[in-house]
Amino acid sequence: MINIGIIGCGQWGPNHVRNFSHLSGSRALMCADLNEKRLKAMKETFRNIHPTYDHREILRHPKIDAVVISTPTKTHYQLVKESLLAGKDVLCEKPLCTSIPEARQLIKLAKKLKRILMVGHVFLFNSGIQKLHNLIDDGSCGRLYYMHSQRTNLGPFRTDVNAVWDLATHDIAIFNHLLKSQPLEVSARGGKFLQKKIEDVAFISLFYPMNVLVNIHVSWLDPRKVRQITVVGDKKMVIWDDLDNVGPIRCYDRRVIPHYYYQTFGEFYLLAKEGNITIPKVDLSEPLKAQDGHFLDCIRNRKQPLTNAQSGLDVIKVLEAIQKSLAQKGRSVRIPS
Ligand SMILES: NC(=O)c1ccc[n+]([C@@H]2O[C@H](COP(=O)([O-])OP(=O)(O)OC[C@H]3O[C@@H](n4cnc5c(N)ncnc54)[C@H](O)[C@@H]3O)[C@@H](O)[C@H]2O)c1
């Protein structure tokens, strides 16, 4: 039995408590929060859990094998560091921390202490994204031209990080995974409409190797909840829509082919080729449950998680570059390799 302690029981933390209470071979033994109401609610919902105000009580407890950090982003670095030093394996919510040096220190520490350090890039455990990954990987889409993602809603609003660090984190993790690489360069513009120092909207252009162009639109200030990615390749186009219950993946057999005039050499016109739209079967399961199950597997078998701390650092490199570009009104910023 793997005993888990959950630090941070706001909106998201209780989902981890639920999963680790139900997954086979694990138990959510303790939880911590600074807020009394949250602790009371946790005790009422999960009868067997031991709540505490002080996360150090969890870290000192000899029966706790691993911790989940689900607190505001700015607290992640300190809490992950303390947890690793206390000898616990750690699953930290996204993003891992708020700077490249912090991420490097955490990677070094986890390695030195031989602890698992996983980041909650939950969309890599989303079966729709996994299907999209397969379609790109097996060549169905052909050569990729560009991809576009939209992650918008009215709220929830954060005060510790902007919409880029909160929302685009997901998209960057997805695109790095789909393209098995990191972007080379970024250009981003954003708007601070609701809070003076925090962007609530951003339009981000990322330039990946092999000339793949990626665009990300994130917003807390939008009338519609949208979670979509469009992939355009020279063989197929695919749309992932996380909110589509019928089938989150639609494959469009549509492409453009050049037709040559046979009388004149080198001249051609572009012809849009129409085809079927297919909806492949995708097993709908809870991504967070799959992610938490993977964490347990990594603890048991002492293996590197799919979303290890290095992948967390790769995302932070892009986030920092976006932040620089935002500050310089969209100037192109190179991403350190
Ligand atoms: N993967 C996802 O899809 C997803 C979704 C939502 C949130 N998140 C991530 O989860 C984390 C938490 O988000 P949230 O929406 O639950 O935030 P929240 O503000 O609702 O909850 C955070 C909780 O942490 C508590 N807290 C702060 N410092 C603490 C400390 N030192 N010890 C114990 N408790 C402490 C606060 O009292 C609060 O209850 C963030 O990193 C966020 O990015 C991920």
PDB file of all heavy atoms in Angstrom, residues 7-13 32-35 38 53 55 69-73 75-76 79 93-95 120 122-123 158 166 170 288 291, ligand 1:
ATOM      1  N   ILE A   7      -0.888  18.063  -0.301  1.00  0.00           N
ATOM      2  CA  ILE A   7      -0.691  19.416   0.239  1.00  0.00           C
ATOM      3  C   ILE A   7      -1.410  20.402  -0.683  1.00  0.00           C
ATOM      4  O   ILE A   7      -1.087  20.505  -1.862  1.00  0.00           O
ATOM      5  CB  ILE A   7       0.814  19.758   0.344  1.00  0.00           C
ATOM      6  CG1 ILE A   7       1.548  18.700   1.192  1.00  0.00           C
ATOM      7  CG2 ILE A   7       1.008  21.150   0.943  1.00  0.00           C
ATOM      8  CD1 ILE A   7       3.054  18.896   1.301  1.00  0.00           C
ATOM      9  N   GLY A   8      -2.404  21.086  -0.118  1.00  0.00           N
ATOM     10  CA  GLY A   8      -3.228  21.999  -0.920  1.00  0.00           C
ATOM     11  C   GLY A   8      -4.545  21.335  -1.280  1.00  0.00           C
ATOM     12  O   GLY A   8      -4.579  20.399  -2.072  1.00  0.00           O
ATOM     13  N   CYS A   9      -5.633  21.813  -0.665  1.00  0.00           N
ATOM     14  CA  CYS A   9      -6.954  21.206  -0.896  1.00  0.00           C
ATOM     15  C   CYS A   9      -7.956  22.266  -1.329  1.00  0.00           C
ATOM     16  O   CYS A   9      -9.054  22.374  -0.769  1.00  0.00           O
ATOM     17  CB  CYS A   9      -7.443  20.500   0.364  1.00  0.00           C
ATOM     18  SG  CYS A   9      -6.288  19.281   0.953  1.00  0.00           S
ATOM     19  N   GLY A  10      -7.558  23.056  -2.306  1.00  0.00           N
ATOM     20  CA  GLY A  10      -8.469  24.081  -2.841  1.00  0.00           C
ATOM     21  C   GLY A  10      -9.396  23.463  -3.860  1.00  0.00           C
ATOM     22  O   GLY A  10     -10.081  22.482  -3.579  1.00  0.00           O
ATOM     23  N   GLN A  11      -9.401  24.021  -5.090  1.00  0.00           N
ATOM     24  CA  GLN A  11     -10.299  23.492  -6.128  1.00  0.00           C
ATOM     25  C   GLN A  11      -9.817  22.153  -6.676  1.00  0.00           C
ATOM     26  O   GLN A  11     -10.605  21.275  -6.981  1.00  0.00           O
ATOM     27  CB  GLN A  11     -10.354  24.486  -7.297  1.00  0.00           C
ATOM     28  CG  GLN A  11     -11.128  25.741  -6.997  1.00  0.00           C
ATOM     29  CD  GLN A  11     -11.106  26.658  -8.211  1.00  0.00           C
ATOM     30  OE1 GLN A  11     -11.346  26.249  -9.343  1.00  0.00           O
ATOM     31  NE2 GLN A  11     -10.796  27.919  -7.993  1.00  0.00           N
ATOM     32  N   TRP A  12      -8.508  22.002  -6.819  1.00  0.00           N
ATOM     33  CA  TRP A  12      -7.967  20.856  -7.560  1.00  0.00           C
ATOM     34  C   TRP A  12      -7.515  19.709  -6.664  1.00  0.00           C
ATOM     35  O   TRP A  12      -7.701  18.531  -6.998  1.00  0.00           O
ATOM     36  CB  TRP A  12      -6.814  21.336  -8.448  1.00  0.00           C
ATOM     37  CG  TRP A  12      -6.411  20.394  -9.525  1.00  0.00           C
ATOM     38  CD1 TRP A  12      -5.188  19.795  -9.665  1.00  0.00           C
ATOM     39  CD2 TRP A  12      -7.212  19.925 -10.622  1.00  0.00           C
ATOM     40  NE1 TRP A  12      -5.170  18.994 -10.779  1.00  0.00           N
ATOM     41  CE2 TRP A  12      -6.402  19.052 -11.386  1.00  0.00           C
ATOM     42  CE3 TRP A  12      -8.524  20.132 -11.021  1.00  0.00           C
ATOM     43  CZ2 TRP A  12      -6.873  18.401 -12.532  1.00  0.00           C
ATOM     44  CZ3 TRP A  12      -8.994  19.480 -12.168  1.00  0.00           C
ATOM     45  CH2 TRP A  12      -8.176  18.639 -12.899  1.00  0.00           C
ATOM     46  N   GLY A  13      -6.909  20.043  -5.516  1.00  0.00           N
ATOM     47  CA  GLY A  13      -6.358  19.020  -4.619  1.00  0.00           C
ATOM     48  C   GLY A  13      -7.338  17.882  -4.286  1.00  0.00           C
ATOM     49  O   GLY A  13      -6.949  16.705  -4.299  1.00  0.00           O
ATOM     50  N   ALA A  32      -3.180  18.538   3.799  1.00  0.00           N
ATOM     51  CA  ALA A  32      -2.861  19.795   4.491  1.00  0.00           C
ATOM     52  C   ALA A  32      -3.418  20.975   3.719  1.00  0.00           C
ATOM     53  O   ALA A  32      -3.427  20.984   2.484  1.00  0.00           O
ATOM     54  CB  ALA A  32      -1.340  19.945   4.614  1.00  0.00           C
ATOM     55  N   ASP A  33      -3.889  21.958   4.474  1.00  0.00           N
ATOM     56  CA  ASP A  33      -4.292  23.235   3.865  1.00  0.00           C
ATOM     57  C   ASP A  33      -4.223  24.303   4.957  1.00  0.00           C
ATOM     58  O   ASP A  33      -4.394  24.009   6.143  1.00  0.00           O
ATOM     59  CB  ASP A  33      -5.697  23.152   3.271  1.00  0.00           C
ATOM     60  CG  ASP A  33      -5.908  24.226   2.203  1.00  0.00           C
ATOM     61  OD1 ASP A  33      -5.989  25.427   2.552  1.00  0.00           O
ATOM     62  OD2 ASP A  33      -5.972  23.868   1.008  1.00  0.00           O
ATOM     63  N   LEU A  34      -3.971  25.540   4.527  1.00  0.00           N
ATOM     64  CA  LEU A  34      -3.889  26.640   5.493  1.00  0.00           C
ATOM     65  C   LEU A  34      -5.278  27.153   5.847  1.00  0.00           C
ATOM     66  O   LEU A  34      -5.439  27.906   6.808  1.00  0.00           O
ATOM     67  CB  LEU A  34      -3.063  27.794   4.892  1.00  0.00           C
ATOM     68  CG  LEU A  34      -1.641  27.435   4.444  1.00  0.00           C
ATOM     69  CD1 LEU A  34      -0.993  28.633   3.739  1.00  0.00           C
ATOM     70  CD2 LEU A  34      -0.789  27.007   5.637  1.00  0.00           C
ATOM     71  N   ASN A  35      -6.259  26.729   5.065  1.00  0.00           N
ATOM     72  CA  ASN A  35      -7.609  27.249   5.215  1.00  0.00           C
ATOM     73  C   ASN A  35      -8.489  26.265   6.005  1.00  0.00           C
ATOM     74  O   ASN A  35      -8.662  25.102   5.612  1.00  0.00           O
ATOM     75  CB  ASN A  35      -8.176  27.469   3.803  1.00  0.00           C
ATOM     76  CG  ASN A  35      -9.545  28.071   3.810  1.00  0.00           C
ATOM     77  OD1 ASN A  35     -10.416  27.678   4.584  1.00  0.00           O
ATOM     78  ND2 ASN A  35      -9.755  29.022   2.924  1.00  0.00           N
ATOM     79  N   ARG A  38     -11.478  24.613   4.198  1.00  0.00           N
ATOM     80  CA  ARG A  38     -11.094  23.573   3.250  1.00  0.00           C
ATOM     81  C   ARG A  38     -10.823  22.261   4.004  1.00  0.00           C
ATOM     82  O   ARG A  38     -11.219  21.188   3.571  1.00  0.00           O
ATOM     83  CB  ARG A  38      -9.841  23.982   2.455  1.00  0.00           C
ATOM     84  CG  ARG A  38     -10.001  25.171   1.529  1.00  0.00           C
ATOM     85  CD  ARG A  38     -11.162  24.999   0.568  1.00  0.00           C
ATOM     86  NE  ARG A  38     -11.129  23.733  -0.118  1.00  0.00           N
ATOM     87  CZ  ARG A  38     -12.220  23.096  -0.552  1.00  0.00           C
ATOM     88  NH1 ARG A  38     -13.409  23.607  -0.375  1.00  0.00           N
ATOM     89  NH2 ARG A  38     -12.107  21.940  -1.157  1.00  0.00           N
ATOM     90  N   TYR A  53      -3.122  21.599   9.395  1.00  0.00           N
ATOM     91  CA  TYR A  53      -2.780  22.935   8.880  1.00  0.00           C
ATOM     92  C   TYR A  53      -1.338  22.969   8.389  1.00  0.00           C
ATOM     93  O   TYR A  53      -0.971  23.784   7.566  1.00  0.00           O
ATOM     94  CB  TYR A  53      -2.860  23.986  10.008  1.00  0.00           C
ATOM     95  CG  TYR A  53      -4.234  24.295  10.457  1.00  0.00           C
ATOM     96  CD1 TYR A  53      -4.679  23.885  11.712  1.00  0.00           C
ATOM     97  CD2 TYR A  53      -5.099  25.026   9.649  1.00  0.00           C
ATOM     98  CE1 TYR A  53      -5.955  24.180  12.138  1.00  0.00           C
ATOM     99  CE2 TYR A  53      -6.373  25.326  10.080  1.00  0.00           C
ATOM    100  CZ  TYR A  53      -6.788  24.898  11.318  1.00  0.00           C
ATOM    101  OH  TYR A  53      -8.035  25.188  11.742  1.00  0.00           O
ATOM    102  N   HIS A  55       1.846  21.416   6.679  1.00  0.00           N
ATOM    103  CA  HIS A  55       2.298  20.387   5.733  1.00  0.00           C
ATOM    104  C   HIS A  55       3.491  19.606   6.281  1.00  0.00           C
ATOM    105  O   HIS A  55       3.742  18.474   5.886  1.00  0.00           O
ATOM    106  CB  HIS A  55       2.657  21.031   4.382  1.00  0.00           C
ATOM    107  CG  HIS A  55       3.887  21.873   4.427  1.00  0.00           C
ATOM    108  ND1 HIS A  55       3.883  23.197   4.793  1.00  0.00           N
ATOM    109  CD2 HIS A  55       5.198  21.569   4.192  1.00  0.00           C
ATOM    110  CE1 HIS A  55       5.107  23.674   4.755  1.00  0.00           C
ATOM    111  NE2 HIS A  55       5.920  22.714   4.400  1.00  0.00           N
ATOM    112  N   ILE A  69       1.655  17.952  -4.474  1.00  0.00           N
ATOM    113  CA  ILE A  69       1.624  19.391  -4.178  1.00  0.00           C
ATOM    114  C   ILE A  69       0.585  20.030  -5.088  1.00  0.00           C
ATOM    115  O   ILE A  69       0.752  20.048  -6.314  1.00  0.00           O
ATOM    116  CB  ILE A  69       2.998  20.056  -4.444  1.00  0.00           C
ATOM    117  CG1 ILE A  69       4.141  19.221  -3.881  1.00  0.00           C
ATOM    118  CG2 ILE A  69       3.013  21.513  -3.992  1.00  0.00           C
ATOM    119  CD1 ILE A  69       4.543  19.417  -2.498  1.00  0.00           C
ATOM    120  N   SER A  70      -0.483  20.530  -4.493  1.00  0.00           N
ATOM    121  CA  SER A  70      -1.551  21.148  -5.283  1.00  0.00           C
ATOM    122  C   SER A  70      -1.902  22.524  -4.699  1.00  0.00           C
ATOM    123  O   SER A  70      -3.059  22.829  -4.436  1.00  0.00           O
ATOM    124  CB  SER A  70      -2.773  20.221  -5.311  1.00  0.00           C
ATOM    125  OG  SER A  70      -3.709  20.716  -6.221  1.00  0.00           O
ATOM    126  N   THR A  71      -0.856  23.296  -4.504  1.00  0.00           N
ATOM    127  CA  THR A  71      -0.983  24.644  -3.930  1.00  0.00           C
ATOM    128  C   THR A  71      -0.735  25.667  -5.052  1.00  0.00           C
ATOM    129  O   THR A  71      -0.338  25.277  -6.160  1.00  0.00           O
ATOM    130  CB  THR A  71       0.080  24.824  -2.822  1.00  0.00           C
ATOM    131  OG1 THR A  71       1.351  24.482  -3.387  1.00  0.00           O
ATOM    132  CG2 THR A  71      -0.196  23.943  -1.628  1.00  0.00           C
ATOM    133  N   PRO A  72      -0.893  26.969  -4.789  1.00  0.00           N
ATOM    134  CA  PRO A  72      -0.596  27.958  -5.839  1.00  0.00           C
ATOM    135  C   PRO A  72       0.845  27.827  -6.350  1.00  0.00           C
ATOM    136  O   PRO A  72       1.762  27.483  -5.582  1.00  0.00           O
ATOM    137  CB  PRO A  72      -0.830  29.295  -5.128  1.00  0.00           C
ATOM    138  CG  PRO A  72      -1.824  28.975  -4.061  1.00  0.00           C
ATOM    139  CD  PRO A  72      -1.467  27.595  -3.579  1.00  0.00           C
ATOM    140  N   THR A  73       1.027  28.135  -7.638  1.00  0.00           N
ATOM    141  CA  THR A  73       2.308  27.911  -8.326  1.00  0.00           C
ATOM    142  C   THR A  73       3.502  28.497  -7.575  1.00  0.00           C
ATOM    143  O   THR A  73       4.562  27.858  -7.491  1.00  0.00           O
ATOM    144  CB  THR A  73       2.221  28.521  -9.744  1.00  0.00           C
ATOM    145  OG1 THR A  73       1.122  27.893 -10.396  1.00  0.00           O
ATOM    146  CG2 THR A  73       3.474  28.308 -10.544  1.00  0.00           C
ATOM    147  N   THR A  75       4.228  28.687  -4.610  1.00  0.00           N
ATOM    148  CA  THR A  75       4.665  27.933  -3.430  1.00  0.00           C
ATOM    149  C   THR A  75       5.326  26.602  -3.828  1.00  0.00           C
ATOM    150  O   THR A  75       5.889  25.917  -2.971  1.00  0.00           O
ATOM    151  CB  THR A  75       3.467  27.614  -2.510  1.00  0.00           C
ATOM    152  OG1 THR A  75       2.561  26.755  -3.225  1.00  0.00           O
ATOM    153  CG2 THR A  75       2.710  28.869  -2.090  1.00  0.00           C
ATOM    154  N   HIS A  76       5.230  26.221  -5.105  1.00  0.00           N
ATOM    155  CA  HIS A  76       5.674  24.873  -5.516  1.00  0.00           C
ATOM    156  C   HIS A  76       7.139  24.595  -5.180  1.00  0.00           C
ATOM    157  O   HIS A  76       7.456  23.548  -4.613  1.00  0.00           O
ATOM    158  CB  HIS A  76       5.466  24.660  -7.027  1.00  0.00           C
ATOM    159  CG  HIS A  76       4.020  24.513  -7.414  1.00  0.00           C
ATOM    160  ND1 HIS A  76       3.610  24.306  -8.706  1.00  0.00           N
ATOM    161  CD2 HIS A  76       2.873  24.549  -6.683  1.00  0.00           C
ATOM    162  CE1 HIS A  76       2.290  24.222  -8.763  1.00  0.00           C
ATOM    163  NE2 HIS A  76       1.820  24.377  -7.531  1.00  0.00           N
ATOM    164  N   LEU A  79       7.867  23.924  -1.480  1.00  0.00           N
ATOM    165  CA  LEU A  79       7.209  22.713  -0.976  1.00  0.00           C
ATOM    166  C   LEU A  79       7.800  21.439  -1.600  1.00  0.00           C
ATOM    167  O   LEU A  79       7.962  20.427  -0.922  1.00  0.00           O
ATOM    168  CB  LEU A  79       5.698  22.781  -1.237  1.00  0.00           C
ATOM    169  CG  LEU A  79       4.941  23.814  -0.381  1.00  0.00           C
ATOM    170  CD1 LEU A  79       3.499  23.973  -0.845  1.00  0.00           C
ATOM    171  CD2 LEU A  79       4.976  23.422   1.106  1.00  0.00           C
ATOM    172  N   GLU A  93       1.850  19.679  -9.022  1.00  0.00           N
ATOM    173  CA  GLU A  93       0.945  20.226 -10.048  1.00  0.00           C
ATOM    174  C   GLU A  93       1.723  21.136 -10.992  1.00  0.00           C
ATOM    175  O   GLU A  93       2.779  21.644 -10.658  1.00  0.00           O
ATOM    176  CB  GLU A  93      -0.206  20.981  -9.363  1.00  0.00           C
ATOM    177  CG  GLU A  93      -1.474  20.154  -9.240  1.00  0.00           C
ATOM    178  CD  GLU A  93      -1.904  19.499 -10.557  1.00  0.00           C
ATOM    179  OE1 GLU A  93      -1.611  20.055 -11.618  1.00  0.00           O
ATOM    180  OE2 GLU A  93      -2.512  18.432 -10.517  1.00  0.00           O
ATOM    181  N   LYS A  94       1.146  21.374 -12.144  1.00  0.00           N
ATOM    182  CA  LYS A  94       1.802  22.228 -13.149  1.00  0.00           C
ATOM    183  C   LYS A  94       1.623  23.708 -12.776  1.00  0.00           C
ATOM    184  O   LYS A  94       0.628  24.015 -12.123  1.00  0.00           O
ATOM    185  CB  LYS A  94       1.247  21.943 -14.546  1.00  0.00           C
ATOM    186  CG  LYS A  94      -0.288  22.138 -14.688  1.00  0.00           C
ATOM    187  CD  LYS A  94      -0.703  23.570 -14.829  1.00  0.00           C
ATOM    188  CE  LYS A  94      -2.113  23.841 -14.505  1.00  0.00           C
ATOM    189  NZ  LYS A  94      -2.428  25.259 -14.385  1.00  0.00           N
ATOM    190  N   PRO A  95       2.503  24.602 -13.189  1.00  0.00           N
ATOM    191  CA  PRO A  95       3.854  24.306 -13.643  1.00  0.00           C
ATOM    192  C   PRO A  95       4.741  23.963 -12.445  1.00  0.00           C
ATOM    193  O   PRO A  95       4.432  24.344 -11.324  1.00  0.00           O
ATOM    194  CB  PRO A  95       4.278  25.624 -14.304  1.00  0.00           C
ATOM    195  CG  PRO A  95       3.472  26.684 -13.634  1.00  0.00           C
ATOM    196  CD  PRO A  95       2.201  26.048 -13.187  1.00  0.00           C
ATOM    197  N   GLY A 120       2.477  17.475 -12.947  1.00  0.00           N
ATOM    198  CA  GLY A 120       1.098  17.160 -13.359  1.00  0.00           C
ATOM    199  C   GLY A 120       0.707  17.756 -14.707  1.00  0.00           C
ATOM    200  O   GLY A 120      -0.245  18.543 -14.774  1.00  0.00           O
ATOM    201  N   VAL A 122      -1.253  17.028 -17.053  1.00  0.00           N
ATOM    202  CA  VAL A 122      -2.320  16.018 -17.109  1.00  0.00           C
ATOM    203  C   VAL A 122      -2.797  15.699 -18.530  1.00  0.00           C
ATOM    204  O   VAL A 122      -3.268  14.587 -18.790  1.00  0.00           O
ATOM    205  CB  VAL A 122      -3.497  16.477 -16.197  1.00  0.00           C
ATOM    206  CG1 VAL A 122      -4.217  17.691 -16.762  1.00  0.00           C
ATOM    207  CG2 VAL A 122      -4.466  15.350 -15.926  1.00  0.00           C
ATOM    208  N   PHE A 123      -2.635  16.652 -19.463  1.00  0.00           N
ATOM    209  CA  PHE A 123      -3.155  16.392 -20.815  1.00  0.00           C
ATOM    210  C   PHE A 123      -2.365  15.313 -21.564  1.00  0.00           C
ATOM    211  O   PHE A 123      -2.852  14.784 -22.553  1.00  0.00           O
ATOM    212  CB  PHE A 123      -3.249  17.695 -21.631  1.00  0.00           C
ATOM    213  CG  PHE A 123      -4.470  18.476 -21.228  1.00  0.00           C
ATOM    214  CD1 PHE A 123      -4.410  19.383 -20.192  1.00  0.00           C
ATOM    215  CD2 PHE A 123      -5.692  18.243 -21.829  1.00  0.00           C
ATOM    216  CE1 PHE A 123      -5.539  20.072 -19.783  1.00  0.00           C
ATOM    217  CE2 PHE A 123      -6.831  18.924 -21.422  1.00  0.00           C
ATOM    218  CZ  PHE A 123      -6.749  19.842 -20.399  1.00  0.00           C
ATOM    219  N   ARG A 158      -6.671  33.804 -11.529  1.00  0.00           N
ATOM    220  CA  ARG A 158      -5.623  33.596 -10.524  1.00  0.00           C
ATOM    221  C   ARG A 158      -4.928  34.917 -10.237  1.00  0.00           C
ATOM    222  O   ARG A 158      -4.930  35.817 -11.081  1.00  0.00           O
ATOM    223  CB  ARG A 158      -4.601  32.569 -11.021  1.00  0.00           C
ATOM    224  CG  ARG A 158      -5.204  31.206 -11.211  1.00  0.00           C
ATOM    225  CD  ARG A 158      -4.179  30.099 -11.230  1.00  0.00           C
ATOM    226  NE  ARG A 158      -4.821  28.824 -11.488  1.00  0.00           N
ATOM    227  CZ  ARG A 158      -5.338  28.040 -10.544  1.00  0.00           C
ATOM    228  NH1 ARG A 158      -5.265  28.379  -9.284  1.00  0.00           N
ATOM    229  NH2 ARG A 158      -5.922  26.894 -10.854  1.00  0.00           N
ATOM    230  N   ASP A 166      -0.642  29.767 -16.159  1.00  0.00           N
ATOM    231  CA  ASP A 166      -1.736  28.902 -15.712  1.00  0.00           C
ATOM    232  C   ASP A 166      -2.224  27.990 -16.839  1.00  0.00           C
ATOM    233  O   ASP A 166      -2.300  26.769 -16.658  1.00  0.00           O
ATOM    234  CB  ASP A 166      -2.899  29.780 -15.210  1.00  0.00           C
ATOM    235  CG  ASP A 166      -4.052  28.952 -14.667  1.00  0.00           C
ATOM    236  OD1 ASP A 166      -3.783  27.882 -14.078  1.00  0.00           O
ATOM    237  OD2 ASP A 166      -5.219  29.363 -14.835  1.00  0.00           O
ATOM    238  N   HIS A 170      -0.302  23.957 -20.211  1.00  0.00           N
ATOM    239  CA  HIS A 170      -0.878  22.715 -20.744  1.00  0.00           C
ATOM    240  C   HIS A 170      -0.534  22.554 -22.222  1.00  0.00           C
ATOM    241  O   HIS A 170      -0.124  21.482 -22.667  1.00  0.00           O
ATOM    242  CB  HIS A 170      -2.408  22.744 -20.624  1.00  0.00           C
ATOM    243  CG  HIS A 170      -2.910  22.604 -19.215  1.00  0.00           C
ATOM    244  ND1 HIS A 170      -2.569  21.551 -18.406  1.00  0.00           N
ATOM    245  CD2 HIS A 170      -3.765  23.367 -18.492  1.00  0.00           C
ATOM    246  CE1 HIS A 170      -3.180  21.671 -17.240  1.00  0.00           C
ATOM    247  NE2 HIS A 170      -3.911  22.769 -17.262  1.00  0.00           N
ATOM    248  N   LEU A 288      -6.858  12.631 -15.025  1.00  0.00           N
ATOM    249  CA  LEU A 288      -6.163  12.788 -13.738  1.00  0.00           C
ATOM    250  C   LEU A 288      -5.980  11.434 -13.052  1.00  0.00           C
ATOM    251  O   LEU A 288      -4.949  11.180 -12.424  1.00  0.00           O
ATOM    252  CB  LEU A 288      -6.923  13.753 -12.817  1.00  0.00           C
ATOM    253  CG  LEU A 288      -6.122  14.147 -11.579  1.00  0.00           C
ATOM    254  CD1 LEU A 288      -4.983  15.102 -11.907  1.00  0.00           C
ATOM    255  CD2 LEU A 288      -7.006  14.766 -10.499  1.00  0.00           C
ATOM    256  N   GLN A 291      -3.141   9.811 -14.742  1.00  0.00           N
ATOM    257  CA  GLN A 291      -1.894  10.458 -14.319  1.00  0.00           C
ATOM    258  C   GLN A 291      -1.484   9.983 -12.919  1.00  0.00           C
ATOM    259  O   GLN A 291      -0.327   9.614 -12.672  1.00  0.00           O
ATOM    260  CB  GLN A 291      -2.094  11.977 -14.303  1.00  0.00           C
ATOM    261  CG  GLN A 291      -0.867  12.738 -13.830  1.00  0.00           C
ATOM    262  CD  GLN A 291      -1.218  14.152 -13.390  1.00  0.00           C
ATOM    263  OE1 GLN A 291      -1.347  15.040 -14.224  1.00  0.00           O
ATOM    264  NE2 GLN A 291      -1.367  14.357 -12.105  1.00  0.00           N
TER     265      GLN A 291
HETATM  266  N1  LIG B   1      -3.952  19.929 -14.056  1.00  0.00           N
HETATM  267  C1  LIG B   1      -4.989  20.718 -14.102  1.00  0.00           C
HETATM  268  O1  LIG B   1      -5.822  20.654 -15.010  1.00  0.00           O
HETATM  269  C2  LIG B   1      -5.163  21.730 -13.002  1.00  0.00           C
HETATM  270  C3  LIG B   1      -6.413  22.317 -12.780  1.00  0.00           C
HETATM  271  C4  LIG B   1      -6.520  23.236 -11.753  1.00  0.00           C
HETATM  272  C5  LIG B   1      -5.420  23.559 -10.984  1.00  0.00           C
HETATM  273  N2  LIG B   1      -4.216  22.963 -11.244  1.00  0.00           N
HETATM  274  C6  LIG B   1      -3.024  23.317 -10.448  1.00  0.00           C
HETATM  275  O2  LIG B   1      -3.246  22.910  -9.103  1.00  0.00           O
HETATM  276  C7  LIG B   1      -2.662  23.835  -8.202  1.00  0.00           C
HETATM  277  C8  LIG B   1      -3.747  24.348  -7.248  1.00  0.00           C
HETATM  278  O3  LIG B   1      -4.759  24.964  -7.979  1.00  0.00           O
HETATM  279  P1  LIG B   1      -6.199  25.251  -7.327  1.00  0.00           P
HETATM  280  O4  LIG B   1      -7.073  25.692  -8.446  1.00  0.00           O
HETATM  281  O5  LIG B   1      -6.646  24.111  -6.491  1.00  0.00           O
HETATM  282  O6  LIG B   1      -5.854  26.499  -6.410  1.00  0.00           O
HETATM  283  P2  LIG B   1      -6.664  26.998  -5.123  1.00  0.00           P
HETATM  284  O7  LIG B   1      -6.194  28.384  -4.874  1.00  0.00           O
HETATM  285  O8  LIG B   1      -8.119  26.739  -5.287  1.00  0.00           O
HETATM  286  O9  LIG B   1      -6.145  26.040  -3.956  1.00  0.00           O
HETATM  287  C9  LIG B   1      -4.860  26.101  -3.431  1.00  0.00           C
HETATM  288  C10 LIG B   1      -4.949  25.693  -1.965  1.00  0.00           C
HETATM  289  O10 LIG B   1      -3.616  25.583  -1.463  1.00  0.00           O
HETATM  290  C11 LIG B   1      -3.653  26.020  -0.097  1.00  0.00           C
HETATM  291  N3  LIG B   1      -2.272  26.346   0.321  1.00  0.00           N
HETATM  292  C12 LIG B   1      -1.488  27.385  -0.051  1.00  0.00           C
HETATM  293  N4  LIG B   1      -0.275  27.285   0.528  1.00  0.00           N
HETATM  294  C13 LIG B   1      -0.305  26.176   1.310  1.00  0.00           C
HETATM  295  C14 LIG B   1       0.655  25.546   2.162  1.00  0.00           C
HETATM  296  N5  LIG B   1       1.874  26.038   2.363  1.00  0.00           N
HETATM  297  N6  LIG B   1       0.287  24.406   2.793  1.00  0.00           N
HETATM  298  C15 LIG B   1      -0.961  23.883   2.624  1.00  0.00           C
HETATM  299  N7  LIG B   1      -1.898  24.440   1.827  1.00  0.00           N
HETATM  300  C16 LIG B   1      -1.575  25.560   1.167  1.00  0.00           C
HETATM  301  C17 LIG B   1      -4.612  27.208  -0.113  1.00  0.00           C
HETATM  302  O11 LIG B   1      -5.127  27.464   1.179  1.00  0.00           O
HETATM  303  C18 LIG B   1      -5.684  26.718  -1.073  1.00  0.00           C
HETATM  304  O12 LIG B   1      -6.759  26.080  -0.428  1.00  0.00           O
HETATM  305  C19 LIG B   1      -2.038  24.933  -9.064  1.00  0.00           C
HETATM  306  O13 LIG B   1      -0.685  24.630  -9.255  1.00  0.00           O
HETATM  307  C20 LIG B   1      -2.758  24.813 -10.389  1.00  0.00           C
HETATM  308  O14 LIG B   1      -1.969  25.239 -11.483  1.00  0.00           O
HETATM  309  C21 LIG B   1      -4.088  22.060 -12.212  1.00  0.00           C
END
